[in-house]
Amino acid sequence: MPQYAKVPVKDIGIDHQILQLHAAMAKKCFANPALFEQIEARIETRYAAKQMRYGAYLTWLSILELKHQPEKMLAALLEKSFKMRNLRRATVFTGVLTEDERLAVIESLHRPIT
């Protein structure tokens, strides 16, 4: 698994979990494109409430622009840059997964590989 530069070892597991959750959220959005509209509305709301900087606002909107190109969107969303790591930790994809779906992703990370 490629690593982030300058990331404390304790954060690597958390980052892996966040990446897997974002992959699952994106997959669900591709299956139900109406979810993208909710995410875009959340971006606009957060930006209007000054809960998001302009750079983050543009980055999230740019990622959503790729929604008709799933491979490219996933690559952008799951990019292992320091910037995307921080953006994913304050994700706009909240509410996409149900609690059961979220727990299933997390539990799948702890199953032994056979």
Side-chain angles (χ1 to χ4, degrees):
M1 170 174 81
Q3 303 295 324
Y4 297 94
K6 302 178 186 176
V7 174
V9 172
K10 66 183 175 95
D11 288 343
I12 291 172
I14 294 167
D15 289 330
H16 182 66
Q17 180 176 306
I18 291 170
L19 280 171
Q20 296 307 309
L21 287 167
H22 276 80
M25 290 183 280
K27 182 179 178 181
K28 186 171 179 179
C29 288
F30 293 133
N32 183 2
L35 290 170
F36 286 122
E37 294 171 21
Q38 294 174 13
I39 294 166
E40 189 169 342
R42 187 172 300 112
I43 292 168
E44 295 296 343
T45 300
R46 285 188 187 179
Y47 184 66
K50 300 194 185 313
Q51 297 173 336
M52 178 184 294
R53 293 179 178 256
Y54 187 63
Y57 171 77
L58 289 178
T59 301
W60 283 121
L61 287 180
S62 296
I63 289 170
L64 285 187
E65 283 291 317
L66 299 170
K67 65 187 171 198
H68 300 295
Q69 301 172 65
E71 299 85 16
K72 288 184 179 183
M73 184 184 160
L74 271 176
L77 182 63
L78 304 179
E79 178 185 301
K80 290 193 176 181
S81 67
F82 205 69
K83 176 182 179 177
M84 280 309 301
R85 174 184 177 259
N86 290 333
L87 286 176
R88 281 189 299 270
R89 286 178 176 240
T91 190
V92 295
F93 281 77
T94 56
V96 170
L97 297 178
T98 65
E99 185 62 15
D100 288 341
E101 291 167 333
R102 188 185 74 76
L103 288 173
V105 171
I106 293 170
E107 288 172 6
S108 74
L109 298 172
H110 300 291
R111 285 188 212 129
I113 298 173
T114 55

